Amino acid sequence: MSLRARLVLIVLISLAVAVVWVSNVWLTERYTETTRTRAELRSALYSGNLISELQRNSVVPLLLSRDPALINALNSKDYTASSQRLISYREEIGAASLMLLDADGRTVAATVRERLGETLRQAPFFVNSLRNSDTVFTTTQTEAGGFYFTYSRKIENSGQLIGVIVVEVDLAKFEASWAGISDAVLVSDSEGRIILSTEPKWRGLSEQEALGLVAPTSAIQRAIEATANWASLPAEAFFTGDSVLRQDARIPFQGWRMTSFTTYASVRERVNGVLALEIMGFAILLAFTFYVISRRATSRSMLFQLESAELRELNAALQREVSERQKAEAHLQVAEQTLAQSSKLAALGEMSAAVSHELNQPLAAMKTYLAGAKLLLQRKRPEEALSSFQRIDDLIERMGAITRQLKSYARKGGDAFEPIDVRQSVSTALSMMEPQLKRRQVRITRNVPREPVIVEADRVRLEQVLINLLRNAIDATKSVDQPQVDILLTADDSARISVRDNGPGVADLDKLFEPFYTTKAPGDGVGLGLAISSGIVTDLGGRLTARNGTTGGAVFEVELPILKGSKHDKETGVEAAE
């Protein structure tokens, strides 16, 4: 080995030692400080989330205590619609549950049906609400050791007590989110009693008693298993020595306090991981250096041993290999052209079948309208017959639009996108299916918001999807004595159109959207409707899903993004039509 090569190796080894030493010191300090800062930020975030949830639910009892519908129900003793009204409120505010109690403490309406009829006259939240004229917050411990938190307020009419409204706040959901981070978190009330915790056995105890229970291996093991990030840490790592950071924070609500324990054990692992990568990098660099040095020496020795005959043989072998590769490439091009032609023929067959499937619907509707127009003309009612002819003209335009969509199956759509109101598309689809609905006598329920639900989509293609779903729902109820199809349109971050039937449901959901898969009898369909609908919804930027309902039947849901910048009131009402 030459002197120059030796100097290069010495410099590389010295550089590796220096880099690893400096990285160890710097990364240890940085990750330690980062762990401490993140623990402080998480503690502040946890506290803020609790306060936000409590404040959001604190105003609900005041609003519900003034609800005319609930007051009328308490006065008239008619609670048939009260539970459904509470359920609609709970979905809007995100509370755990809502209950309406009469003056005797009996549950007359609730979002949890099992609680109807319960007598809660002795419950702390009922007693506290009677003693105060404002909203009262109550913390109640269950027999299992957990806690639930309620806001309650009495309802008066002309100065007379007629009932109590109770709002249960869902704080237990924060325990699950806390358990997903490498923290052990507890929240204690003004008396020092732990009311929320990532460790179930801590609830109801003081902090000193709770930490005393951690010493047994079984208790701390449950806390470790609460999150996968703790699984590799020893049990004593949480509460011994300097490896644990304790954070205390005051929650500005009835004297509550939050305490979190964060382990530093991961700092060493993260530092060692980076150092291992550095050492591996320098090892690879050294190996490459040795390889270059040995390769140069070998090349010099082999250079003098090679003969011209060997070079000619190598050249001939290379020429043969090039010739073989050229032949293989020529065969590959022929195969690619054949495959491309086969794909074009297959695509043409699918598009032809799709057009045939989609034209069956307007053709069937035209046949029904023609029969109705003929009957009206025979009865000397030409004005009503003209209405049927106008609908037939609309169907002809739709058939033309469907045929013009042939090219959309071969490429992504988007040229005909425009802002449309989904409610109008639902109405148009129902109008298209009107003859089939009258013939089958299917009961249709439609729930849509009062405010417009604006999306950017192709109107004709969206209506095509809705008609396919309605037709499938009607076909699915052929064996049902009282067929019913429910249409629900909701809007928040996205528009959701749900079509539910009371048929037998879908046996194989995995194959439902595959082309040519159908459960219908031969001649009733070719199995392309749902596959086409799924492709259309995907082109519109949404998704089409299916599931079986909890009470039977199938549920198809179309989800489309709301058009950004459109006016949408979050407090939209709902109107129903049958």
Side-chain angles (χ1 to χ4, degrees), residues 220-254:
I220 192 62
Q221 187 65 28
R222 286 192 299 273
I224 294 174
E225 292 174 354
T227 172
N229 292 337
W230 294 1
S232 61
L233 303 179
E236 63 276 6
F238 293 100
F239 306 102
T240 59
D242 296 331
S243 60
V244 169
L245 170 67
R246 176 193 174 107
Q247 292 286 340
D248 287 316
R250 185 180 68 85
I251 301 176
F253 182 80
Q254 296 192 355

PDB file of all heavy atoms in Angstrom, residues 220-254:
ATOM      1  N   ILE A 220     -48.225  -1.497  36.429  1.00  0.00           N
ATOM      2  CA  ILE A 220     -47.466  -0.693  35.473  1.00  0.00           C
ATOM      3  C   ILE A 220     -47.460  -1.330  34.092  1.00  0.00           C
ATOM      4  O   ILE A 220     -47.385  -0.638  33.080  1.00  0.00           O
ATOM      5  CB  ILE A 220     -46.030  -0.474  35.964  1.00  0.00           C
ATOM      6  CG1 ILE A 220     -45.342   0.585  35.117  1.00  0.00           C
ATOM      7  CG2 ILE A 220     -45.235  -1.758  35.963  1.00  0.00           C
ATOM      8  CD1 ILE A 220     -45.962   1.935  35.176  1.00  0.00           C
ATOM      9  N   GLN A 221     -47.583  -2.686  34.043  1.00  0.00           N
ATOM     10  CA  GLN A 221     -47.591  -3.354  32.744  1.00  0.00           C
ATOM     11  C   GLN A 221     -48.812  -2.938  31.934  1.00  0.00           C
ATOM     12  O   GLN A 221     -48.746  -2.768  30.720  1.00  0.00           O
ATOM     13  CB  GLN A 221     -47.581  -4.878  32.933  1.00  0.00           C
ATOM     14  CG  GLN A 221     -47.415  -5.659  31.637  1.00  0.00           C
ATOM     15  CD  GLN A 221     -46.063  -5.407  30.994  1.00  0.00           C
ATOM     16  OE1 GLN A 221     -45.094  -5.098  31.681  1.00  0.00           O
ATOM     17  NE2 GLN A 221     -45.997  -5.502  29.681  1.00  0.00           N
ATOM     18  N   ARG A 222     -49.945  -2.742  32.607  1.00  0.00           N
ATOM     19  CA  ARG A 222     -51.139  -2.281  31.897  1.00  0.00           C
ATOM     20  C   ARG A 222     -50.935  -0.886  31.334  1.00  0.00           C
ATOM     21  O   ARG A 222     -51.405  -0.550  30.250  1.00  0.00           O
ATOM     22  CB  ARG A 222     -52.347  -2.305  32.835  1.00  0.00           C
ATOM     23  CG  ARG A 222     -52.859  -3.701  33.110  1.00  0.00           C
ATOM     24  CD  ARG A 222     -54.221  -3.635  33.784  1.00  0.00           C
ATOM     25  NE  ARG A 222     -54.160  -2.944  35.066  1.00  0.00           N
ATOM     26  CZ  ARG A 222     -53.878  -3.533  36.213  1.00  0.00           C
ATOM     27  NH1 ARG A 222     -53.619  -4.829  36.230  1.00  0.00           N
ATOM     28  NH2 ARG A 222     -53.860  -2.855  37.339  1.00  0.00           N
ATOM     29  N   ALA A 223     -50.250  -0.028  32.085  1.00  0.00           N
ATOM     30  CA  ALA A 223     -49.979   1.320  31.584  1.00  0.00           C
ATOM     31  C   ALA A 223     -49.046   1.277  30.381  1.00  0.00           C
ATOM     32  O   ALA A 223     -49.194   2.033  29.428  1.00  0.00           O
ATOM     33  CB  ALA A 223     -49.383   2.179  32.696  1.00  0.00           C
ATOM     34  N   ILE A 224     -48.063   0.354  30.415  1.00  0.00           N
ATOM     35  CA  ILE A 224     -47.125   0.245  29.287  1.00  0.00           C
ATOM     36  C   ILE A 224     -47.839  -0.263  28.043  1.00  0.00           C
ATOM     37  O   ILE A 224     -47.642   0.227  26.935  1.00  0.00           O
ATOM     38  CB  ILE A 224     -45.958  -0.695  29.660  1.00  0.00           C
ATOM     39  CG1 ILE A 224     -45.127  -0.074  30.785  1.00  0.00           C
ATOM     40  CG2 ILE A 224     -45.083  -0.975  28.458  1.00  0.00           C
ATOM     41  CD1 ILE A 224     -44.057  -0.985  31.311  1.00  0.00           C
ATOM     42  N   GLU A 225     -48.734  -1.233  28.211  1.00  0.00           N
ATOM     43  CA  GLU A 225     -49.425  -1.823  27.073  1.00  0.00           C
ATOM     44  C   GLU A 225     -50.484  -0.908  26.483  1.00  0.00           C
ATOM     45  O   GLU A 225     -51.064  -1.213  25.454  1.00  0.00           O
ATOM     46  CB  GLU A 225     -50.073  -3.141  27.492  1.00  0.00           C
ATOM     47  CG  GLU A 225     -49.048  -4.219  27.821  1.00  0.00           C
ATOM     48  CD  GLU A 225     -49.708  -5.468  28.373  1.00  0.00           C
ATOM     49  OE1 GLU A 225     -50.930  -5.429  28.598  1.00  0.00           O
ATOM     50  OE2 GLU A 225     -49.000  -6.467  28.563  1.00  0.00           O
ATOM     51  N   ALA A 226     -50.735   0.239  27.132  1.00  0.00           N
ATOM     52  CA  ALA A 226     -51.727   1.182  26.598  1.00  0.00           C
ATOM     53  C   ALA A 226     -51.293   1.758  25.273  1.00  0.00           C
ATOM     54  O   ALA A 226     -52.104   2.260  24.514  1.00  0.00           O
ATOM     55  CB  ALA A 226     -51.988   2.303  27.610  1.00  0.00           C
ATOM     56  N   THR A 227     -50.005   1.750  24.963  1.00  0.00           N
ATOM     57  CA  THR A 227     -49.504   2.276  23.688  1.00  0.00           C
ATOM     58  C   THR A 227     -48.312   1.476  23.246  1.00  0.00           C
ATOM     59  O   THR A 227     -47.493   1.056  24.064  1.00  0.00           O
ATOM     60  CB  THR A 227     -49.113   3.763  23.806  1.00  0.00           C
ATOM     61  OG1 THR A 227     -48.472   4.156  22.598  1.00  0.00           O
ATOM     62  CG2 THR A 227     -48.193   4.019  24.954  1.00  0.00           C
ATOM     63  N   ALA A 228     -48.178   1.260  21.946  1.00  0.00           N
ATOM     64  CA  ALA A 228     -47.074   0.455  21.419  1.00  0.00           C
ATOM     65  C   ALA A 228     -45.736   1.123  21.629  1.00  0.00           C
ATOM     66  O   ALA A 228     -44.701   0.476  21.667  1.00  0.00           O
ATOM     67  CB  ALA A 228     -47.295   0.184  19.932  1.00  0.00           C
ATOM     68  N   ASN A 229     -45.689   2.462  21.766  1.00  0.00           N
ATOM     69  CA  ASN A 229     -44.429   3.167  21.931  1.00  0.00           C
ATOM     70  C   ASN A 229     -43.769   2.852  23.270  1.00  0.00           C
ATOM     71  O   ASN A 229     -42.588   3.097  23.461  1.00  0.00           O
ATOM     72  CB  ASN A 229     -44.654   4.670  21.823  1.00  0.00           C
ATOM     73  CG  ASN A 229     -45.045   5.081  20.431  1.00  0.00           C
ATOM     74  OD1 ASN A 229     -44.752   4.375  19.490  1.00  0.00           O
ATOM     75  ND2 ASN A 229     -45.731   6.201  20.318  1.00  0.00           N
ATOM     76  N   TRP A 230     -44.548   2.334  24.252  1.00  0.00           N
ATOM     77  CA  TRP A 230     -43.966   2.029  25.559  1.00  0.00           C
ATOM     78  C   TRP A 230     -43.574   0.564  25.701  1.00  0.00           C
ATOM     79  O   TRP A 230     -43.066   0.160  26.728  1.00  0.00           O
ATOM     80  CB  TRP A 230     -44.993   2.340  26.656  1.00  0.00           C
ATOM     81  CG  TRP A 230     -45.333   3.781  26.796  1.00  0.00           C
ATOM     82  CD1 TRP A 230     -44.848   4.815  26.061  1.00  0.00           C
ATOM     83  CD2 TRP A 230     -46.270   4.350  27.718  1.00  0.00           C
ATOM     84  NE1 TRP A 230     -45.411   5.992  26.467  1.00  0.00           N
ATOM     85  CE2 TRP A 230     -46.300   5.739  27.495  1.00  0.00           C
ATOM     86  CE3 TRP A 230     -47.079   3.820  28.713  1.00  0.00           C
ATOM     87  CZ2 TRP A 230     -47.094   6.594  28.220  1.00  0.00           C
ATOM     88  CZ3 TRP A 230     -47.868   4.665  29.438  1.00  0.00           C
ATOM     89  CH2 TRP A 230     -47.876   6.046  29.196  1.00  0.00           C
ATOM     90  N   ALA A 231     -43.896  -0.237  24.678  1.00  0.00           N
ATOM     91  CA  ALA A 231     -43.785  -1.678  24.865  1.00  0.00           C
ATOM     92  C   ALA A 231     -42.361  -2.129  25.147  1.00  0.00           C
ATOM     93  O   ALA A 231     -42.150  -3.139  25.805  1.00  0.00           O
ATOM     94  CB  ALA A 231     -44.315  -2.400  23.620  1.00  0.00           C
ATOM     95  N   SER A 232     -41.361  -1.412  24.680  1.00  0.00           N
ATOM     96  CA  SER A 232     -39.977  -1.838  24.847  1.00  0.00           C
ATOM     97  C   SER A 232     -39.310  -1.233  26.077  1.00  0.00           C
ATOM     98  O   SER A 232     -38.131  -1.445  26.294  1.00  0.00           O
ATOM     99  CB  SER A 232     -39.168  -1.450  23.601  1.00  0.00           C
ATOM    100  OG  SER A 232     -39.189  -0.041  23.426  1.00  0.00           O
ATOM    101  N   LEU A 233     -40.037  -0.463  26.888  1.00  0.00           N
ATOM    102  CA  LEU A 233     -39.447   0.200  28.041  1.00  0.00           C
ATOM    103  C   LEU A 233     -39.670  -0.616  29.302  1.00  0.00           C
ATOM    104  O   LEU A 233     -40.708  -1.246  29.474  1.00  0.00           O
ATOM    105  CB  LEU A 233     -40.060   1.596  28.230  1.00  0.00           C
ATOM    106  CG  LEU A 233     -39.926   2.532  27.033  1.00  0.00           C
ATOM    107  CD1 LEU A 233     -40.591   3.850  27.359  1.00  0.00           C
ATOM    108  CD2 LEU A 233     -38.467   2.750  26.693  1.00  0.00           C
ATOM    109  N   PRO A 234     -38.731  -0.600  30.245  1.00  0.00           N
ATOM    110  CA  PRO A 234     -38.938  -1.300  31.521  1.00  0.00           C
ATOM    111  C   PRO A 234     -40.004  -0.615  32.353  1.00  0.00           C
ATOM    112  O   PRO A 234     -40.262   0.567  32.211  1.00  0.00           O
ATOM    113  CB  PRO A 234     -37.556  -1.208  32.185  1.00  0.00           C
ATOM    114  CG  PRO A 234     -36.932   0.003  31.577  1.00  0.00           C
ATOM    115  CD  PRO A 234     -37.434   0.064  30.171  1.00  0.00           C
ATOM    116  N   ALA A 235     -40.640  -1.380  33.243  1.00  0.00           N
ATOM    117  CA  ALA A 235     -41.747  -0.840  34.036  1.00  0.00           C
ATOM    118  C   ALA A 235     -41.308   0.309  34.913  1.00  0.00           C
ATOM    119  O   ALA A 235     -42.023   1.285  35.097  1.00  0.00           O
ATOM    120  CB  ALA A 235     -42.352  -1.955  34.884  1.00  0.00           C
ATOM    121  N   GLU A 236     -40.106   0.229  35.492  1.00  0.00           N
ATOM    122  CA  GLU A 236     -39.678   1.273  36.417  1.00  0.00           C
ATOM    123  C   GLU A 236     -39.224   2.545  35.722  1.00  0.00           C
ATOM    124  O   GLU A 236     -38.886   3.524  36.372  1.00  0.00           O
ATOM    125  CB  GLU A 236     -38.518   0.753  37.276  1.00  0.00           C
ATOM    126  CG  GLU A 236     -37.245   0.403  36.487  1.00  0.00           C
ATOM    127  CD  GLU A 236     -37.295  -0.999  35.903  1.00  0.00           C
ATOM    128  OE1 GLU A 236     -38.361  -1.636  36.015  1.00  0.00           O
ATOM    129  OE2 GLU A 236     -36.285  -1.456  35.362  1.00  0.00           O
ATOM    130  N   ALA A 237     -39.257   2.585  34.398  1.00  0.00           N
ATOM    131  CA  ALA A 237     -38.759   3.765  33.681  1.00  0.00           C
ATOM    132  C   ALA A 237     -39.661   4.968  33.846  1.00  0.00           C
ATOM    133  O   ALA A 237     -39.253   6.085  33.606  1.00  0.00           O
ATOM    134  CB  ALA A 237     -38.604   3.452  32.194  1.00  0.00           C
ATOM    135  N   PHE A 238     -40.900   4.770  34.274  1.00  0.00           N
ATOM    136  CA  PHE A 238     -41.836   5.886  34.315  1.00  0.00           C
ATOM    137  C   PHE A 238     -41.697   6.740  35.574  1.00  0.00           C
ATOM    138  O   PHE A 238     -41.982   7.921  35.562  1.00  0.00           O
ATOM    139  CB  PHE A 238     -43.269   5.344  34.228  1.00  0.00           C
ATOM    140  CG  PHE A 238     -43.578   4.728  32.911  1.00  0.00           C
ATOM    141  CD1 PHE A 238     -43.551   3.361  32.755  1.00  0.00           C
ATOM    142  CD2 PHE A 238     -43.872   5.523  31.817  1.00  0.00           C
ATOM    143  CE1 PHE A 238     -43.830   2.791  31.539  1.00  0.00           C
ATOM    144  CE2 PHE A 238     -44.153   4.958  30.599  1.00  0.00           C
ATOM    145  CZ  PHE A 238     -44.120   3.582  30.463  1.00  0.00           C
ATOM    146  N   PHE A 239     -41.278   6.160  36.681  1.00  0.00           N
ATOM    147  CA  PHE A 239     -41.372   6.898  37.930  1.00  0.00           C
ATOM    148  C   PHE A 239     -40.099   6.795  38.788  1.00  0.00           C
ATOM    149  O   PHE A 239     -40.140   6.963  39.997  1.00  0.00           O
ATOM    150  CB  PHE A 239     -42.564   6.381  38.758  1.00  0.00           C
ATOM    151  CG  PHE A 239     -43.842   6.400  37.993  1.00  0.00           C
ATOM    152  CD1 PHE A 239     -44.344   5.226  37.470  1.00  0.00           C
ATOM    153  CD2 PHE A 239     -44.529   7.571  37.778  1.00  0.00           C
ATOM    154  CE1 PHE A 239     -45.530   5.222  36.750  1.00  0.00           C
ATOM    155  CE2 PHE A 239     -45.709   7.576  37.075  1.00  0.00           C
ATOM    156  CZ  PHE A 239     -46.204   6.408  36.559  1.00  0.00           C
ATOM    157  N   THR A 240     -38.974   6.501  38.189  1.00  0.00           N
ATOM    158  CA  THR A 240     -37.753   6.388  38.973  1.00  0.00           C
ATOM    159  C   THR A 240     -36.654   7.205  38.336  1.00  0.00           C
ATOM    160  O   THR A 240     -36.569   7.319  37.115  1.00  0.00           O
ATOM    161  CB  THR A 240     -37.291   4.909  39.053  1.00  0.00           C
ATOM    162  OG1 THR A 240     -37.060   4.419  37.738  1.00  0.00           O
ATOM    163  CG2 THR A 240     -38.349   4.053  39.736  1.00  0.00           C
ATOM    164  N   GLY A 241     -35.756   7.759  39.170  1.00  0.00           N
ATOM    165  CA  GLY A 241     -34.548   8.423  38.693  1.00  0.00           C
ATOM    166  C   GLY A 241     -34.835   9.644  37.856  1.00  0.00           C
ATOM    167  O   GLY A 241     -35.887  10.256  37.911  1.00  0.00           O
ATOM    168  N   ASP A 242     -33.823  10.034  37.055  1.00  0.00           N
ATOM    169  CA  ASP A 242     -33.923  11.217  36.207  1.00  0.00           C
ATOM    170  C   ASP A 242     -34.492  10.901  34.834  1.00  0.00           C
ATOM    171  O   ASP A 242     -34.502  11.757  33.963  1.00  0.00           O
ATOM    172  CB  ASP A 242     -32.527  11.851  36.052  1.00  0.00           C
ATOM    173  CG  ASP A 242     -31.990  12.349  37.377  1.00  0.00           C
ATOM    174  OD1 ASP A 242     -32.808  12.712  38.254  1.00  0.00           O
ATOM    175  OD2 ASP A 242     -30.766  12.353  37.534  1.00  0.00           O
ATOM    176  N   SER A 243     -34.926   9.659  34.599  1.00  0.00           N
ATOM    177  CA  SER A 243     -35.412   9.288  33.272  1.00  0.00           C
ATOM    178  C   SER A 243     -36.854   9.685  33.054  1.00  0.00           C
ATOM    179  O   SER A 243     -37.437   9.368  32.043  1.00  0.00           O
ATOM    180  CB  SER A 243     -35.283   7.770  33.069  1.00  0.00           C
ATOM    181  OG  SER A 243     -36.049   7.088  34.044  1.00  0.00           O
ATOM    182  N   VAL A 244     -37.480  10.367  34.021  1.00  0.00           N
ATOM    183  CA  VAL A 244     -38.880  10.750  33.904  1.00  0.00           C
ATOM    184  C   VAL A 244     -39.017  12.245  34.127  1.00  0.00           C
ATOM    185  O   VAL A 244     -38.420  12.811  35.041  1.00  0.00           O
ATOM    186  CB  VAL A 244     -39.743   9.978  34.925  1.00  0.00           C
ATOM    187  CG1 VAL A 244     -41.140  10.560  34.990  1.00  0.00           C
ATOM    188  CG2 VAL A 244     -39.810   8.520  34.541  1.00  0.00           C
ATOM    189  N   LEU A 245     -39.796  12.893  33.266  1.00  0.00           N
ATOM    190  CA  LEU A 245     -40.097  14.319  33.406  1.00  0.00           C
ATOM    191  C   LEU A 245     -41.542  14.454  33.854  1.00  0.00           C
ATOM    192  O   LEU A 245     -42.455  13.911  33.232  1.00  0.00           O
ATOM    193  CB  LEU A 245     -39.903  15.043  32.067  1.00  0.00           C
ATOM    194  CG  LEU A 245     -40.405  16.489  32.026  1.00  0.00           C
ATOM    195  CD1 LEU A 245     -39.562  17.363  32.944  1.00  0.00           C
ATOM    196  CD2 LEU A 245     -40.387  17.022  30.606  1.00  0.00           C
ATOM    197  N   ARG A 246     -41.750  15.169  34.958  1.00  0.00           N
ATOM    198  CA  ARG A 246     -43.099  15.413  35.477  1.00  0.00           C
ATOM    199  C   ARG A 246     -43.520  16.827  35.105  1.00  0.00           C
ATOM    200  O   ARG A 246     -42.778  17.789  35.312  1.00  0.00           O
ATOM    201  CB  ARG A 246     -43.115  15.231  36.997  1.00  0.00           C
ATOM    202  CG  ARG A 246     -44.471  15.563  37.635  1.00  0.00           C
ATOM    203  CD  ARG A 246     -44.342  15.679  39.143  1.00  0.00           C
ATOM    204  NE  ARG A 246     -45.592  16.122  39.729  1.00  0.00           N
ATOM    205  CZ  ARG A 246     -46.415  15.370  40.417  1.00  0.00           C
ATOM    206  NH1 ARG A 246     -46.105  14.098  40.621  1.00  0.00           N
ATOM    207  NH2 ARG A 246     -47.532  15.854  40.916  1.00  0.00           N
ATOM    208  N   GLN A 247     -44.748  16.932  34.554  1.00  0.00           N
ATOM    209  CA  GLN A 247     -45.301  18.233  34.172  1.00  0.00           C
ATOM    210  C   GLN A 247     -46.626  18.435  34.903  1.00  0.00           C
ATOM    211  O   GLN A 247     -47.508  17.575  34.864  1.00  0.00           O
ATOM    212  CB  GLN A 247     -45.540  18.284  32.654  1.00  0.00           C
ATOM    213  CG  GLN A 247     -44.273  18.283  31.825  1.00  0.00           C
ATOM    214  CD  GLN A 247     -43.558  19.620  31.866  1.00  0.00           C
ATOM    215  OE1 GLN A 247     -44.145  20.622  32.188  1.00  0.00           O
ATOM    216  NE2 GLN A 247     -42.279  19.611  31.573  1.00  0.00           N
ATOM    217  N   ASP A 248     -46.756  19.579  35.604  1.00  0.00           N
ATOM    218  CA  ASP A 248     -47.995  19.955  36.278  1.00  0.00           C
ATOM    219  C   ASP A 248     -48.570  21.191  35.591  1.00  0.00           C
ATOM    220  O   ASP A 248     -47.839  22.140  35.307  1.00  0.00           O
ATOM    221  CB  ASP A 248     -47.759  20.260  37.767  1.00  0.00           C
ATOM    222  CG  ASP A 248     -47.495  18.995  38.564  1.00  0.00           C
ATOM    223  OD1 ASP A 248     -48.214  17.999  38.356  1.00  0.00           O
ATOM    224  OD2 ASP A 248     -46.559  18.991  39.380  1.00  0.00           O
ATOM    225  N   ALA A 249     -49.875  21.154  35.348  1.00  0.00           N
ATOM    226  CA  ALA A 249     -50.533  22.292  34.705  1.00  0.00           C
ATOM    227  C   ALA A 249     -51.897  22.506  35.364  1.00  0.00           C
ATOM    228  O   ALA A 249     -52.615  21.535  35.669  1.00  0.00           O
ATOM    229  CB  ALA A 249     -50.714  22.045  33.208  1.00  0.00           C
ATOM    230  N   ARG A 250     -52.238  23.765  35.580  1.00  0.00           N
ATOM    231  CA  ARG A 250     -53.530  24.094  36.167  1.00  0.00           C
ATOM    232  C   ARG A 250     -54.553  24.272  35.053  1.00  0.00           C
ATOM    233  O   ARG A 250     -54.315  24.970  34.073  1.00  0.00           O
ATOM    234  CB  ARG A 250     -53.436  25.378  36.992  1.00  0.00           C
ATOM    235  CG  ARG A 250     -54.719  25.725  37.739  1.00  0.00           C
ATOM    236  CD  ARG A 250     -54.548  26.999  38.513  1.00  0.00           C
ATOM    237  NE  ARG A 250     -54.404  28.147  37.619  1.00  0.00           N
ATOM    238  CZ  ARG A 250     -55.425  28.811  37.098  1.00  0.00           C
ATOM    239  NH1 ARG A 250     -56.675  28.439  37.354  1.00  0.00           N
ATOM    240  NH2 ARG A 250     -55.217  29.856  36.308  1.00  0.00           N
ATOM    241  N   ILE A 251     -55.697  23.604  35.218  1.00  0.00           N
ATOM    242  CA  ILE A 251     -56.796  23.736  34.257  1.00  0.00           C
ATOM    243  C   ILE A 251     -57.782  24.752  34.823  1.00  0.00           C
ATOM    244  O   ILE A 251     -58.306  24.569  35.924  1.00  0.00           O
ATOM    245  CB  ILE A 251     -57.501  22.388  34.036  1.00  0.00           C
ATOM    246  CG1 ILE A 251     -56.493  21.351  33.506  1.00  0.00           C
ATOM    247  CG2 ILE A 251     -58.665  22.531  33.066  1.00  0.00           C
ATOM    248  CD1 ILE A 251     -57.072  19.977  33.339  1.00  0.00           C
ATOM    249  N   PRO A 252     -58.018  25.845  34.114  1.00  0.00           N
ATOM    250  CA  PRO A 252     -58.910  26.898  34.647  1.00  0.00           C
ATOM    251  C   PRO A 252     -60.370  26.471  34.640  1.00  0.00           C
ATOM    252  O   PRO A 252     -61.205  27.053  33.954  1.00  0.00           O
ATOM    253  CB  PRO A 252     -58.643  28.070  33.693  1.00  0.00           C
ATOM    254  CG  PRO A 252     -58.225  27.445  32.419  1.00  0.00           C
ATOM    255  CD  PRO A 252     -57.453  26.220  32.803  1.00  0.00           C
ATOM    256  N   PHE A 253     -60.685  25.414  35.422  1.00  0.00           N
ATOM    257  CA  PHE A 253     -62.073  24.940  35.515  1.00  0.00           C
ATOM    258  C   PHE A 253     -62.246  24.212  36.846  1.00  0.00           C
ATOM    259  O   PHE A 253     -61.723  23.110  37.040  1.00  0.00           O
ATOM    260  CB  PHE A 253     -62.386  23.997  34.348  1.00  0.00           C
ATOM    261  CG  PHE A 253     -63.809  23.499  34.344  1.00  0.00           C
ATOM    262  CD1 PHE A 253     -64.834  24.296  33.863  1.00  0.00           C
ATOM    263  CD2 PHE A 253     -64.124  22.241  34.850  1.00  0.00           C
ATOM    264  CE1 PHE A 253     -66.138  23.839  33.858  1.00  0.00           C
ATOM    265  CE2 PHE A 253     -65.412  21.782  34.849  1.00  0.00           C
ATOM    266  CZ  PHE A 253     -66.425  22.578  34.356  1.00  0.00           C
ATOM    267  N   GLN A 254     -62.900  24.852  37.789  1.00  0.00           N
ATOM    268  CA  GLN A 254     -63.262  24.268  39.070  1.00  0.00           C
ATOM    269  C   GLN A 254     -62.069  23.687  39.813  1.00  0.00           C
ATOM    270  O   GLN A 254     -62.167  22.658  40.484  1.00  0.00           O
ATOM    271  CB  GLN A 254     -64.335  23.192  38.884  1.00  0.00           C
ATOM    272  CG  GLN A 254     -65.650  23.742  38.359  1.00  0.00           C
ATOM    273  CD  GLN A 254     -66.778  22.737  38.443  1.00  0.00           C
ATOM    274  OE1 GLN A 254     -66.556  21.589  38.811  1.00  0.00           O
ATOM    275  NE2 GLN A 254     -67.972  23.187  38.124  1.00  0.00           N
TER     276      GLN A 254
END
